[in-house]
Amino acid sequence: MINPTQFLGLISFLALLLALFPVSWDSSLHDASTRSPEIESSSLSPATNYVVRFLEYRHAEDHRSYIEENVGSLSGWRWVERRNPAASFPTDFALLAVEELNCGEVISKVEGLELVKDVVVDSSFTRRLFMDEDGNGSKRPGKLFSSFSFEGEDIHFSIVNSSISWRKLMMDRSQVTSLFGAEKLWEKGYTGAKVKMAIFDTGIRSDHPHFRHIKERTNWTNEDTLNDNLGHGTFVAGVIAGMEAECLGFAPDTEIYAFRVFTDSQVSYTSWFLDAFNYAIAMKMDVLNLSIGGPDYLDLPFVEKVWELTANNIIMVSAIGNDGPLYGTLNNPADQSDVIGVGGIDYDDHIASFSSRGMTTWEIPHGYGRVKPDVVAYGREIMGSKISTGCKSLSGTSVASPVVAGAVCLLVSIFPESSRKLILNPASMKQALVEGAFKLPGPNIFEQGAGRLDLLNSYEILKSYQPRTSIFPSVLDFTDCPYSWPFCRQPLYAGAMPVVFNATILNGVGVLGHVTSPPTWHPSDEVGNILDIRFSYSDVIWPWTGFLAIHIQVKEEAALFSNTIEGDITVGITTPAPAAGGPPRASACTLKLRLQVVPTPPRWRRLLWDQFHSIKYPPGYVPRDSLDVRSDILDWHGDHLHTNFHAMFDMLRDAGFFVEVLGSPLTCFDAARYGAVLIADAEEEYFQEEVKKLWDDVTRLGLGLLVFADWYNVESMVKMRFFDDNTRSWWTPITGGANVPAINDLLAPFGVAFGDKILSGDFSLLEEQTNYASGTDVVRFPAGGYLHGFPLQDSSESGATQNLLRKPTAAKVNYSVLGLLEAGAGAVAVYGDSNCLDSSHMVTNCFFLLKKMLDFTNRRVKDRALFAGTARLDRRLEEDERNMPKRRSDVNFSAFSRVAGKELACGKDARFELWGGQGYNNLQLMGKSRKLPGFPSTGAVSDLKTSNVSHEEELRRSRDDSVVFTEELDGPVFFAGRWLAPFVVAVVGFALFVSCWRMRQRRRKRRKAPAAVRSANAV
């Protein structure tokens, strides 16, 4: 048995070991699970239809025999007959109805077959005629018809500086064709004759008096009718080919093929579209109009069938979407490079408020989006045909799309039918449209694309067209504002993250091409050699298009350079011969580049936007940031500085800041170059290397850190689970508005953490009225920091229950939401809501607060109201660990994450010298100059003391002389805290050990003393 002395000695020894060999208790970045509720089957339906895609075309009976031969032994499934006009043609897919109980076994067996490509749910598509009046219309997974408005709505038009009379246009609005000069082509005999026009919509009536050539009507739905009972399909056909004087179409002699792919209930399915697309290919359509769209560009059966359709030389025109004026709201398939995506304008040549804006978001976070729309056309109050007779007016991009489709039919008809396919294709038609378009003076490139459709200019281009390759846009002039926004808003400089522009290669020579001469930069003079330009591009150009990403850096030796640089970028494309045995056809295309370079700005003016840690829909159900918004349940706008945070970007530029984008982990930037890193609405996890490096960046290198969080509440996420009729599956949020548990891991070294409240309300801050929309609270904060609370309503599940128990007048409680803290050489500022920076659903902005926070993190300028003594914490704010937000254990987050279960690596948006590596992830670099092999010193010095002095000097120079309030924060010295606790434990342990040893020695001496002496001592 161990006596007390031995026990104390053991404790002392363990304490000494702990001090000498400290143990790190790092929580796991993610509690992964193999279960994925997002794809959970519905218990509401006994069987669900699945699309089985094959690797080759065969007749349906052959596919059926193959499936029955290999899966016939299993029960719980049946073959679904598809009785439609495509049934007589070979097909590349089958439709199986699979019962829930046998779903896993059957699907697994079918997917394992040699000739099966994949198995997916037969998703449904829905159409919105207009937004629900009660506000419950919502953007959900799947595809939607671009909504339109009926005539007579209260529509406001700006007529300032307009050269067109709105009154006259209202009188002549039926003649939208005349605004594009269609009558001049009619006079030349071009009226759309012999052009096969496929209209994928709600059908048309066979005896409609407005049309000359209704060549064929086909029904692909489960309803037994070919007629249009809604009016949308008839209206679209009227804009394209109507001959009624009041609502003339562009190409009255076009042959109309009406594909009825939507029911009277405005529902369609993937399988209907796949069959209809296959039939359009078999019937050799020339042009296809599709006024349908949705945010899911990962709907592979649909996307890949569109590729196949255009590869078969069908020119597809599609509406870009009615989710404007928000940026990053492009709809698929209009956002595909092989499709002509059309936006809408009003009669004053202003971008219509409803028209979706670019950029594409496929490429985020590592890359940069492409330019869309391709062109814009009138989409306000356009006249078209009613269901049976007469005309009406509608608005929307689903109206602008047939305007362009009708113009395309007219342009196709200028070529003889026999030689038409030899010259015209999706790429050559897009070349004619974008090169002939009229660039509007006000909108930027992500609002108008190439500009307003110019029918006559495009006609002149096609009249003498010879097959060629080109790049869209063909000119990148970063000095042309506002058209080249956002690039014209911020010049380039040495030491910055690469500026990335994603151009599109158009191959009018053939459907397939190869890059045989890699892209090359040719400066117009020697000065242009200060640019370091690298490229990412499609090795294979198919179908008709490819991408060319241009990564631009300014070399370090040009840190003081200021001038305009011009030059060309060339790339060579080789296209196989159209006939076997013929020589390949080589062609070259050129992009002209012009940009401004300025001296590298001071560190405190440079900000870094963290793009890497944003996750958007698709592929996972990432919910909206503001739960007050009912019309949009998804977070799908990209969370990019140039999409839904574009207003904040413009504000920061106006304030004199230079903002760069990082689409790679936080190990992939040099903190010595930046005043602060800005993290907003982060849904991603963090590598442990990121957490450690950011701690060092702030405490040792003086980096500022700003974090804007959002709501996170597991109970509320569970309540948000819904059954999606489009995908026939249950959808559960994979995280909250932000991934608060991950953010808390990042902030843990600073002693800061957010909670799981969902707070909303209005309050006054810095004499500004502020709206807090579904934000969270700060529940951990160190002593010496400054923390601000405001009366807010908690709408989380637990909060709602507590609100019921309170008096109505006491429903709001003060919650801490804003914190500011000095941490070593740097500073940290946190706020629980990002909606005031996000243009998507912003009620009021908090740009004034952001600027004050940047004053503090970048220059240590402290606003009196924010740093009042009443806000200073004398004791640490500490929430019990049991009450902290926890990660969901029922979601396989790694399926959507670029961190969980992945390798740390810098992408091609980082500095060139870091591509493919782990960045500044070498612990030996901590405290040393972060100089990479072959790369000049970044200015971070090797000695901590020197680094602090240098940073303080820079802060002193950056401060405004008028600032009089300079109280210093009395916070803990964080960079010493790592070893302070073990040192104290060691000292205490050693003292206990010595004390125990001395006590034991005295006892031994007493035992050795004579008995008489011991007795005497006892008296």
Side-chain angles (χ1 to χ4, degrees):
M1 186 173 181
I2 300 177
N3 61 41
T5 303
Q6 292 174 322
F7 178 75
L8 287 174
L10 179 62
I11 293 297
S12 303
F13 180 70
L14 290 176
L16 184 61
L17 286 178
L18 179 61
L20 295 174
F21 306 101
V23 180
S24 174
W25 288 275
D26 290 333
S27 60
S28 173
L29 280 175
H30 176 64
D31 182 12
S33 168
T34 57
R35 181 167 172 264
S36 179
E38 301 79 40
I39 318 173
E40 198 174 304
S41 298
S42 167
S43 59
L44 302 179
S45 176
T48 299
N49 287 353
Y50 286 85
V51 173
V52 180
R53 294 200 295 166
F54 297 96
L55 296 174
E56 57 187 40
Y57 277 83
R58 290 183 180 180
H59 285 283
E61 286 304 313
D62 294 334
H63 285 313
R64 181 172 186 172
S65 298
Y66 177 73
I67 293 291
E68 290 177 344
E69 213 174 281
N70 290 277
V71 192
S73 60
L74 300 180
S75 60
W77 69 276
R78 62 181 175 82
W79 180 271
V80 179
E81 289 284 351
R82 311 194 311 275
R83 298 182 177 88
N84 55 50
S88 59
F89 294 91
T91 181
D92 60 340
F93 78 96
L95 199 62
L96 302 183
V98 184
E99 295 178 4
E100 247 188 82
L101 294 177
N102 306 81
C103 179
E105 184 181 10
V106 172
I107 298 302
S108 177
K109 181 71 173 178
V110 173
E111 285 180 330
L113 298 180
E114 185 179 357
L115 297 181
V116 171
K117 182 177 182 179
D118 57 25
V119 181
V120 295
V121 173
D122 187 18
S123 302
S124 69
F125 303 150
T126 57
R127 177 168 69 88
R128 297 178 300 172
L129 291 177
F130 35 74
M131 290 301 296
D132 295 345
E133 292 182 4
D134 60 4
N136 290 326
S138 60
K139 178 73 74 176
R140 291 197 172 193
K143 299 242 182 332
L144 302 163
F145 256 112
S146 298
S147 58
F148 52 83
S149 307
F150 282 107
E151 179 183 17
E153 284 196 80
D154 185 18
I155 301 173
H156 301 278
F157 298 90
S158 172
I159 57 175
V160 180
N161 298 325
S162 174
S163 59
I164 301 176
S165 168
W166 173 245
R167 184 178 298 278
K168 181 178 185 300
L169 283 172
M170 286 296 292
M171 295 171 59
D172 298 336
R173 62 183 176 180
S174 61
Q175 309 307 323
V176 66
T177 53
S178 66
L179 295 177
F180 293 103
E183 66 279 356
K184 293 185 179 179
L185 293 186
W186 298 341
E187 292 169 1
K188 296 178 183 293
Y190 305 128
T191 57
K194 302 296 183 179
V195 176
K196 294 181 177 181
M197 177 71 225
I199 300 174
F200 277 55
D201 218 293
T202 58
I204 194 172
R205 299 193 175 185
S206 61
D207 58 350
H208 201 291
H210 288 190
F211 305 101
R212 288 182 187 148
H213 303 293
I214 300 179
K215 202 72 173 179
E216 184 181 43
R217 300 182 304 149
T218 52
N219 177 37
W220 306 88
T221 72
N222 55 11
E223 296 178 338
D224 188 19
T225 181
L226 292 165
N227 291 331
D228 178 11
N229 299 316
L230 292 173
H232 191 268
T234 305
F235 183 91
V236 168
V239 174
I240 294 171
M243 61 179 187
E244 172 64 30
E246 186 185 353
C247 48
L248 278 173
F250 279 82
D253 285 326
T254 289
E255 298 175 358
I256 296 175
Y257 290 75
F259 289 69
R260 189 177 189 270
V261 291
F262 273 86
T263 68
D264 292 341
S265 302
Q266 306 161 32
V267 174
S268 186
Y269 285 89
T270 297
S271 58
W272 298 354
F273 269 94
L274 298 184
D275 269 332
F277 281 148
N278 282 343
Y279 187 71
I281 294 171
M283 297 302 290
K284 300 184 184 328
M285 293 292 109
D286 293 310
V287 187
L288 188 151
N289 183 81
L290 194 61
S291 292
I292 182 178
D296 189 3
Y297 53 78
L298 292 181
D299 181 6
L300 291 183
F302 191 95
V303 169
E304 291 180 1
K305 186 57 70 174
V306 170
W307 287 342
E308 184 182 349
L309 190 91
T310 59
N312 279 274
N313 212 351
I314 297 176
I315 301 169
M316 178 179 280
V317 182
S318 185
I320 205 70
N322 286 357
D323 294 292
L326 305 179
Y327 283 68
T329 55
L330 302 174
N331 282 218
N332 180 264
D335 62 349
Q336 294 183 210
S337 60
D338 55 322
V339 175
I340 299 170
V342 182
I345 57 173
D346 61 29
Y347 288 118
D348 292 325
D349 283 345
H350 298 152
I351 301 298
S353 59
F354 54 74
S355 187
S356 291
R357 273 73 164 167
M359 58 185 166
T360 63
T361 58
W362 296 37
E363 301 79 4
I364 294 172
H366 282 315
Y368 195 82
R370 289 167 286 109
V371 174
K372 283 282 182 169
D374 295 300
V375 293
V376 292
Y378 297 118
R380 282 280 196 192
E381 293 288 301
I382 303 300
M383 296 298 288
S385 303
K386 289 184 178 180
I387 291 180
S388 56
T389 186
C391 301
K392 64 180 179 181
S393 67
L394 294 177
S395 301
T397 54
S398 60
V399 174
S401 179
V403 167
V404 173
V408 168
C409 288
L410 209 52
L411 293 172
V412 170
S413 68
I414 72 176
F415 293 91
E417 188 178 8
S418 59
S419 61
R420 187 175 291 164
K421 294 287 186 180
L422 298 177
I423 298 177
L424 287 182
N425 54 60
S428 61
M429 182 57 72
K430 183 177 285 193
Q431 287 172 332
L433 294 180
V434 299
E435 291 170 15
F438 173 76
K439 188 173 75 174
L440 300 175
N444 66 56
I445 194 171
F446 293 122
E447 293 175 319
Q448 65 169 312
R452 185 191 64 211
L453 170 71
D454 191 320
L455 178 61
L456 299 182
N457 271 357
S458 296
Y459 163 72
E460 292 296 329
I461 292 171
L462 285 176
K463 193 168 63 171
S464 58
Y465 181 83
Q466 293 297 318
R468 54 184 169 81
T469 58
S470 64
I471 300 176
F472 171 65
S474 59
V475 177
L476 286 183
D477 185 354
F478 288 178
T479 66
D480 179 14
C481 261
Y483 181 71
S484 292
W485 182 96
F487 304 98
C488 65
R489 290 285 280 135
Q490 182 167 298
L492 280 71
Y493 47 87
M497 290 292 168
V499 170
V500 184
F501 187 90
N502 199 347
T504 299
I505 299 174
L506 300 173
N507 184 12
V509 182
V511 63
L512 174 66
H514 300 274
V515 174
T516 50
S517 297
T520 308
W521 163 239
H522 305 280
S524 58
D525 52 42
E526 289 187 3
V527 174
N529 290 320
I530 69 165
L531 295 185
D532 189 0
I533 301 182
R534 300 190 186 184
F535 305 94
S536 304
Y537 55 90
S538 310
D539 292 317
V540 177
I541 311 299
W542 184 91
W544 311 103
T545 64
F547 75 89
L548 173 61
I550 306 161
H551 309 255
I552 310 171
Q553 278 184 190
V554 179
K555 295 178 180 177
E556 293 289 328
E557 56 263 32
L560 301 178
F561 180 84
S562 179
N563 208 337
T564 300
I565 295 178
E566 298 184 59
D568 296 337
I569 293 171
T570 60
V571 59
I573 310 294
T574 298
T575 304
R585 295 162 292 175
S587 57
C589 44
T590 300
L591 181 147
K592 294 190 175 297
L593 179 64
R594 187 171 191 265
L595 51 83
Q596 182 75 27
V597 176
V598 298
T600 302
R603 178 186 181 185
W604 70 272
R605 287 192 179 276
R606 295 179 60 182
L607 307 178
L608 190 65
W609 172 262
D610 175 23
Q611 184 65 41
F612 180 77
H613 294 95
S614 291
I615 300 179
K616 58 181 174 54
Y617 172 85
Y621 174 15
V622 181
R624 62 189 180 272
D625 299 323
S626 175
L627 299 181
D628 295 330
V629 178
R630 306 292 181 184
S631 61
D632 200 345
I633 69 169
L634 301 170
D635 186 353
W636 63 287
H637 300 163
D639 286 344
H640 194 279
L641 202 60
H642 303 154
T643 57
N644 47 311
F645 286 91
H646 67 94
M648 183 195 71
F649 167 73
D650 284 336
M651 180 278 297
L652 291 172
R653 287 297 300 126
D654 291 338
F657 291 100
F658 292 79
V659 197
E660 303 166 31
V661 178
L662 178 65
S664 293
L666 296 174
T667 59
C668 303
F669 79 100
D670 184 359
R673 297 176 182 265
Y674 298 93
V677 60
L678 179 54
I679 301 174
D681 186 22
E683 295 92 359
E684 182 59 275
E685 293 286 337
Y686 295 88
F687 292 104
Q688 281 295 332
E689 294 86 345
E690 294 181 277
V691 177
K692 294 174 183 177
K693 175 181 175 292
L694 190 62
W695 158 262
D696 180 75
D697 289 342
V698 173
T699 59
R700 191 180 64 82
L701 295 180
L703 179 72
L705 172 63
L706 295 91
V707 178
F708 286 75
D710 276 303
W711 69 272
Y712 182 96
N713 184 277
V714 173
E715 291 178 340
S716 297
M717 281 186 267
V718 172
K719 292 281 187 181
M720 292 174 69
R721 181 173 180 263
F722 72 93
F723 183 76
D724 176 46
D725 289 327
N726 293 334
T727 58
R728 304 299 301 166
S729 60
W730 285 98
W731 280 64
T732 300
I734 64 174
T735 186
N739 189 346
V740 169
I743 293 174
N744 285 348
D745 284 349
L746 186 71
L747 296 175
F750 304 99
V752 179
F754 291 104
D756 65 351
K757 299 288 189 288
I758 303 178
L759 305 176
S760 300
D762 297 303
F763 56 85
S764 180
L765 175 62
L766 301 176
E767 300 182 352
E768 297 274 356
Q769 195 65 20
T770 301
N771 176 260
Y772 205 75
S774 304
T776 188
D777 56 335
V778 179
V779 296
R780 285 182 178 173
F781 211 73
Y786 289 74
L787 197 60
H788 296 265
F790 303 94
L792 297 167
Q793 179 87 34
D794 180 13
S795 59
S796 64
E797 293 300 311
S798 58
T801 303
Q802 293 176 7
N803 290 337
L804 291 175
L805 301 177
R806 296 191 185 101
K807 296 180 180 179
T809 56
K812 290 187 176 181
V813 177
N814 258 34
Y815 292 98
S816 299
V817 297
L818 169 64
L820 303 109
L821 169 75
E822 283 188 321
V828 178
V830 296
Y831 191 64
D833 180 26
S834 74
N835 284 285
C836 56
L837 303 178
D838 186 341
S839 301
S840 293
H841 308 297
M842 183 188 294
V843 177
T844 60
N845 71 64
C846 59
F847 297 160
F848 66 94
L849 174 61
L850 176 59
K851 287 191 281 190
K852 294 292 186 182
M853 294 166 76
L854 288 170
D855 283 343
F856 168 59
T857 58
N858 292 28
R859 300 192 294 160
R860 304 300 184 274
V861 175
K862 302 170 185 175
D863 182 271
R864 287 184 177 276
L866 295 180
F867 291 89
T870 53
R872 189 175 185 277
L873 287 183
D874 294 325
R875 293 191 303 172
R876 175 180 177 82
L877 176 65
E878 182 71 32
E879 179 63 76
D880 191 298
E881 182 63 32
R882 293 171 296 181
N883 299 328
M884 295 297 292
K886 301 292 191 301
R887 290 175 174 82
R888 297 193 63 174
S889 60
D890 59 341
V891 171
N892 182 16
F893 191 82
S894 61
F896 313 99
S897 173
R898 295 177 298 273
V899 174
K902 310 300 190 302
E903 292 292 329
L904 173 65
C906 300
K908 291 189 176 181
D909 66 301
R911 298 279 302 177
F912 296 162
E913 60 272 11
L914 299 179
W915 284 11
Q918 294 189 341
Y920 302 103
N921 186 36
N922 186 347
L923 293 180
Q924 294 178 354
L925 290 175
M926 301 302 181
K928 296 183 179 181
S929 177
R930 293 183 173 182
K931 181 179 179 181
L932 299 177
F935 186 67
S937 174
T938 60
V941 292
S942 60
D943 182 77
L944 177 61
K945 181 178 178 181
T946 308
S947 176
N948 287 338
V949 171
S950 175
H951 183 56
E952 290 172 3
E953 176 65 17
E954 184 175 357
L955 289 176
R956 187 190 63 78
R957 293 176 181 176
S958 70
R959 290 192 181 105
D960 184 66
D961 292 338
S962 62
V963 177
V964 296
F965 183 64
T966 58
E967 177 190 351
E968 293 297 327
L969 282 174
D970 185 20
V973 184
F974 286 91
F975 57 82
R978 180 174 180 180
W979 294 102
L980 181 60
F983 177 77
V984 172
V985 171
V987 171
V988 173
F990 182 77
L992 287 171
F993 180 83
V994 171
S995 176
C996 292
W997 179 80
R998 293 181 64 183
M999 290 174 60
R1000 191 167 184 177
Q1001 291 299 318
R1002 284 197 296 268
R1003 289 187 178 183
R1004 285 180 177 175
K1005 289 179 180 179
R1006 285 199 297 269
R1007 290 194 189 102
K1008 292 178 181 179
V1013 175
R1014 288 201 301 270
S1015 300
N1017 289 341
V1019 174

